[in-house]
Amino acid sequence: MTLAVQRVPEELSARVPAEQRGPGRGRDDVRLLVSRGTRATHHVFRELPCLLRAGDLLVVNTSPTLAAAVDGRVGPARVVVHFSTRGDDGRWAVELREPDGKGTTRARAGGPVGSEVRLAGGVRLALEEPLSPGSGRLWWARVSPAGAVPGLLREHGRPIRYAYTERDQPLSVYQTVFALPSADGSGSAEMPSAARPFTAGLVAELVSRGVQFAPVTLHTGVASAEVHEPPYPERFVVPEASARLINAARAGSGRVIAVGTTAVRAVESAAGADGVVRARAGWTDLVVTPARGVRVVDGLLTGLHEPEASHLLMLEAVAGRAAVGRGYDAALDGGYLWHEFGDVHLVLPVESADAEHCSGNHA
């Protein structure tokens, strides 16, 4: 059963990034809601260093965002192809959508098998089968010439844009400070957006205060904007060094705080039933729910998600139903902004000795 969260008013959609909302503003000018149980306080993101403490560990996703939207044609009809996930066999999972005349897209029926999509530079896609039985949104497509996708996206791609945004943005707007290029051209179809407010200066300040970082990688695919399907298998890597850092933090007094739901999915996929994280790489189909719970993560920094989104189940697994409901009520009452350019929510465990070092408004 999904959490009962109020519908998000349209005016609370973040239409442009924080740094474009006024002179002198930066990425870290978004607001930060902090939840400890059912207690909520209001901050700005640049106050994060005084909300954490020496020994805390932030798990961050290094996946780069791809310019994953490319114009094409199926017969005479114009389509927009969203490149979602590269398979081990060289195929790509893709979503075909219709241009809506406003610079964004609307849903389109997928398939049928054998459909050919013509793209720029002579690249062709042949739709072979749905990604999962009974779902026609995402299809496995064979690309010809083989290996053409990275170059196609560099030359002709643009970031995936949704209808609530005001205008197209350059790819740099969608890259986080933690993004690292992938040798095979893989990346995330959509930005690991919880990390977007971090700046190099803020990272340096956190490190100077004794907060550590554990990099992991999870290449996230195209979200289901209309029907909020659960996440499907995604490629991930938890390196040996990061596994050691996470285990050391858990053995000491530090808190393991995931930056984004993608980081939760990667770390929890690498954790055994004993709570020990081991280096792993491959595909994960893990969906973190309250019934499954979390084995490693103590806290979560995340964006604000629509009430239907499966991400809320993960948040509930970390924080509990009452805390999530109270936090979302506080975000709506406080006029927080939603989506990838919006404000963020830090969920911390309830600890009686946890001092509040930042001046924040209580809710």
Side-chain angles (χ1 to χ4, degrees):
M1 184 173 67
T2 56
L3 186 72
V5 174
Q6 302 175 48
R7 178 70 59 177
V8 180
E10 185 177 343
E11 61 268 21
L12 294 185
S13 294
R15 303 193 182 282
V16 296
E19 62 272 24
Q20 297 178 16
R21 295 180 202 145
R25 294 177 64 91
R27 288 188 175 210
D28 55 1
D29 277 306
V30 296
R31 298 173 68 192
L32 174 63
L33 176 71
V34 179
S35 292
R36 293 178 178 84
T38 56
R39 175 173 171 259
T41 55
H42 303 282
H43 305 266
V44 293
F45 190 77
R46 71 175 73 91
E47 294 177 330
L48 182 64
C50 64
L51 290 161
L52 302 180
R53 63 193 186 205
D56 284 344
L57 180 70
L58 293 174
V59 182
V60 297
N61 187 0
T62 64
S63 179
T65 308
L66 300 176
V70 180
D71 293 324
R73 288 186 180 272
V74 177
R78 295 175 58 226
V79 296
V80 177
V81 179
H82 288 173
F83 284 85
S84 183
T85 303
R86 187 185 67 83
D88 293 335
D89 59 359
R91 295 188 301 174
W92 279 79
V94 299
E95 179 187 34
L96 270 60
R97 296 179 66 88
E98 293 180 354
D100 63 2
K102 304 174 185 176
T104 53
T105 61
R106 54 178 169 258
R108 173 192 183 277
V113 172
S115 295
E116 183 181 80
V117 185
R118 305 188 310 279
L119 302 171
V123 177
R124 297 286 188 273
L125 298 181
L127 301 185
E128 294 190 343
E129 59 180 333
L131 186 68
S132 57
S135 173
R137 183 176 71 90
L138 289 163
W139 284 69
W140 284 115
R142 185 72 60 182
V143 183
S144 60
V149 173
L152 174 74
L153 300 188
R154 282 195 303 271
E155 293 295 321
H156 302 285
R158 60 187 180 275
I160 291 173
R161 178 187 157 203
Y162 291 111
Y164 50 77
T165 57
E166 186 175 289
R167 56 180 176 269
D168 286 343
Q169 299 283 350
L171 184 60
S172 59
V173 166
Y174 290 87
Q175 300 295 7
T176 74
V177 71
F178 305 111
L180 296 173
S182 176
D184 63 3
S186 295
S188 288
E190 296 179 352
M191 171 177 53
S193 56
R196 190 183 189 278
F198 283 89
T199 64
L202 190 64
V203 171
E205 184 179 352
L206 286 162
V207 171
S208 73
R209 289 173 176 253
V211 176
Q212 295 183 293
F213 289 82
V216 300
T217 303
L218 185 137
H219 298 312
T220 186
V222 178
S224 174
E226 284 82 21
V227 296
H228 299 287
E229 299 166 358
Y232 52 86
E234 294 170 321
R235 294 170 62 197
F236 80 104
V237 178
V238 176
E240 178 65 38
S242 294
R244 287 199 302 267
L245 282 169
I246 294 166
N247 293 330
R250 286 175 53 77
S253 59
R255 300 169 295 186
V256 177
I257 300 167
V259 178
T261 57
T262 59
V264 176
R265 198 179 195 202
V267 169
E268 293 290 328
S269 296
D274 56 1
V276 175
V277 176
R278 297 170 176 86
R280 281 195 61 193
W283 293 83
T284 178
D285 59 1
L286 176 66
V287 178
V288 178
T289 65
R292 189 268 187 190
V294 289
R295 297 170 177 171
V296 176
V297 172
D298 300 307
L300 173 61
L301 177 70
T302 181
L304 295 164
H305 300 290
E306 295 286 358
E308 302 89 346
S310 61
H311 296 305
L312 282 185
L313 292 175
M314 179 186 290
L315 192 56
E316 188 180 337
V318 175
R321 175 168 288 227
V324 177
R326 177 70 184 93
Y328 268 65
D329 286 345
L332 288 166
D333 292 344
Y336 277 66
L337 296 180
W338 255 248
H339 304 304
E340 66 267 31
F341 297 141
D343 299 316
V344 285
H345 185 193
L346 175 62
V347 176
L348 293 174
V350 178
E351 298 173 8
S352 58
D354 191 23
E356 178 78 67
H357 296 110
C358 293
S359 58
N361 298 319
H362 293 249

